[in-house]
Amino acid sequence: MRHVLRRVLSFVLVGAHACAPGGSDERQPHASSSAPPTATPEVSVTRTPFGTTPAGEPVELFTLTNAKGIEIRAISYGGIILSLKAPDRNGVLEDVVLGYDNLDGYLEDTPYFGALIGRYGNRIADARFSLDGATFELDANDGANSLHGGFRGFDKQVWEGSPTTTSEGAGVVFTRVSPDGEGGYPGNLRVQVSYTLTDADELVVDYLATTDRATPINLTQHSYFNLAGHGNGDILGHRLTLAASRFTPVDETLIPTGESAPVEGTPFDFRSPHAIGERIAVEDLQIGFGGGYDHNFVLDREGAAEGELVLAARVEEPSSGRVMEIRTTEPGVQFYSGNFLDGTLTGKSGHVYGHRAGFCLETQHFPDSPNHPGFPSTILRPDSEYRSRTVFSFGVMDGGA
């Protein structure tokens, strides 16, 4: 799956996982053949107020720009990425993530637009798990199950934000301590997430977490993408490739059965490019359970070293020519096709987000891993660190669509 990209922006998520220590710090810039801007922007990070929570906690907005004019905006509430601008085939920058213009939208019942997810991304069955002889009861916020850390997961917390400027570029560091018992999870968990926008057009996100007591942890980033622009229709025409020969089937509540099934011969076979909407309405039990795609794909990591980046996904948007590629150190990626977006949410610039107006590709360990000993472990212990890395590379198809 080698493809030529031009005008590439790379968006890197770097984190820590107990089962994947270390990992290469190698950057993978791509060549740019676009015309230079008329004026050279300066590398900068600005810090401005972005409202106050009902509890009186101030929220800050951090705007990162690089020498090529790429801009990323993120807030200290939920570590949320408000906007991410990427060029189309004509070099026009456009915001390609869904979200809101102000804090109020994120304080209401939002589908995790742009948020950092923790302690545990995805679902845990019956909102409970057992660890070291003890059973822990979690928030049941998705029917009988626990989803994305419970009622007040990391996406609904105010993080401490600090601007940084390094030799790599402008950035922000978000930190918080998740106290013992938050959402039902054991242990005091210290988390640091750093975003750095480099002059190589990379947004580098470093996750680091430690605990004083064994706990499950599965952090991810929940941006909804529409590579045509966040208000420009649905994503059914986007062409998706996934480097996954297997996926984890689910039951009717979207909890994995514990199996790892081959994608061959199913609507889940994206090993070669297919439009997202091509098979989304076929008669298939798994498609029916998800109302479309809402499944974890097992990435093909054979031959890759522990902590090594591997290709996870590639998405092409034909009308704009934009391309997004994802590499990760994680064993899985959750592909969600925006099935629960229903036209009731009004986002940035007054755009109404209709059915399947965005998609998510959440690199992760597998859902409900604490209840499936056969899945890769998500247990972090006091003598370990949580580490993970994901790289989102944005560009355009060479030679147009």
Side-chain angles (χ1 to χ4, degrees):
M1 282 182 284
R2 288 190 176 273
H3 302 268
V4 179
L5 302 183
R6 56 186 174 86
R7 288 187 59 87
V8 172
L9 161 67
S10 293
F11 170 36
V12 185
L13 292 171
V14 183
H17 201 284
C19 304
S24 170
D25 201 33
E26 180 181 357
R27 302 288 182 259
Q28 299 188 21
H30 296 264
S32 172
S33 61
S34 62
T38 55
T40 302
E42 293 184 359
V43 175
S44 68
V45 52
T46 62
R47 179 182 197 169
T48 55
F50 196 73
T52 305
T53 69
E57 301 166 289
V59 176
E60 295 182 300
L61 168 66
F62 296 85
T63 302
L64 315 180
T65 58
N66 72 1
K68 297 178 184 177
I70 302 298
E71 179 192 271
I72 308 292
R73 296 191 305 147
I75 58 173
S76 56
Y77 181 80
I80 289 168
I81 294 175
L82 295 186
S83 63
L84 190 162
K85 294 181 178 179
D88 67 7
R89 62 166 57 88
N90 298 314
V92 177
L93 291 168
E94 192 160 5
D95 185 2
V96 297
V97 295
L98 278 59
Y100 299 107
D101 288 319
N102 53 51
L103 181 61
D104 288 345
Y106 294 102
L107 294 174
E108 296 170 4
D109 189 16
T110 173
Y112 305 97
F113 284 150
L116 293 174
I117 302 298
R119 285 189 192 189
Y120 200 95
N122 221 308
R123 295 171 174 85
I124 292 183
D126 298 320
R128 69 178 59 162
F129 66 90
S130 295
L131 177 61
D132 296 341
T135 298
F136 296 90
E137 303 286 339
L138 309 175
D139 293 341
N141 64 325
D142 184 49
N145 304 320
S146 187
L147 174 67
H148 292 335
F151 293 116
R152 282 184 52 81
F154 288 6
D155 60 295
K156 297 178 179 66
Q157 306 289 343
V158 176
W159 297 61
E160 181 69 29
S162 302
T164 63
T165 302
T166 69
S167 58
E168 289 186 303
V172 57
V173 179
F174 292 121
T175 57
R176 75 177 298 264
V177 175
S178 174
D180 182 38
E182 184 174 69
Y185 290 89
N188 295 295
L189 186 76
R190 297 182 177 275
V191 185
Q192 175 179 293
V193 182
S194 304
Y195 294 172
T196 304
L197 178 60
T198 76
D199 282 339
D201 291 348
E202 296 174 329
L203 176 60
V204 180
V205 184
D206 292 309
Y207 287 141
L208 174 63
T210 58
T211 184
D212 60 5
R213 185 180 177 189
T215 185
I217 180 171
N218 189 28
L219 305 185
T220 191
Q221 225 288 333
H222 207 293
S223 286
Y224 285 69
F225 293 96
N226 185 325
L227 299 183
H230 72 91
N232 291 333
D234 63 44
I235 45 77
L236 296 179
H238 287 55
R239 292 178 59 79
L240 172 66
T241 305
L242 292 173
S245 300
R246 307 184 74 82
F247 76 110
T248 51
V250 295
D251 64 18
E252 63 275 8
T253 69
L254 300 181
I255 292 294
T257 62
E259 303 169 82
S260 172
V263 300
E264 186 172 2
T266 77
F268 295 85
D269 191 349
F270 285 94
R271 291 174 295 175
S272 59
H274 288 273
I276 291 174
E278 180 181 333
R279 300 166 297 178
I280 204 167
V282 301
E283 207 168 302
D284 178 89
L285 184 64
Q286 288 296 309
I287 292 286
F289 284 160
Y293 297 103
D294 193 1
H295 295 75
N296 171 68
F297 287 75
V298 179
L299 296 177
D300 296 333
R301 295 196 58 90
E302 291 82 1
E306 189 173 353
E308 180 182 348
L309 290 168
V310 299
L311 182 67
R314 175 182 169 94
V315 188
E316 302 173 353
E317 201 289 300
S319 64
S320 67
R322 289 189 181 93
V323 178
M324 179 174 72
E325 287 187 352
I326 301 177
R327 294 173 176 81
T328 188
T329 59
E330 288 293 297
V333 61
Q334 182 86 5
F335 170 41
Y336 171 55
S337 53
N339 311 315
F340 298 112
L341 297 175
D342 59 4
T344 61
L345 299 178
T346 300
K348 290 177 284 190
S349 304
H351 289 292
V352 175
Y353 296 141
H355 192 42
R356 299 185 173 128
F359 67 88
C360 302
L361 287 165
E362 306 154 61
T363 56
Q364 59 173 17
H365 270 56
F366 303 168
D368 199 32
S369 290
N371 293 313
H372 292 286
F375 285 177
S377 176
T378 56
I379 303 303
L380 176 67
R381 296 187 179 275
D383 59 350
S384 300
E385 290 182 337
Y386 176 96
R387 296 188 179 276
S388 172
R389 170 175 294 169
T390 300
V391 181
F392 296 75
S393 298
F394 291 82
V396 296
M397 293 175 282
D398 188 53

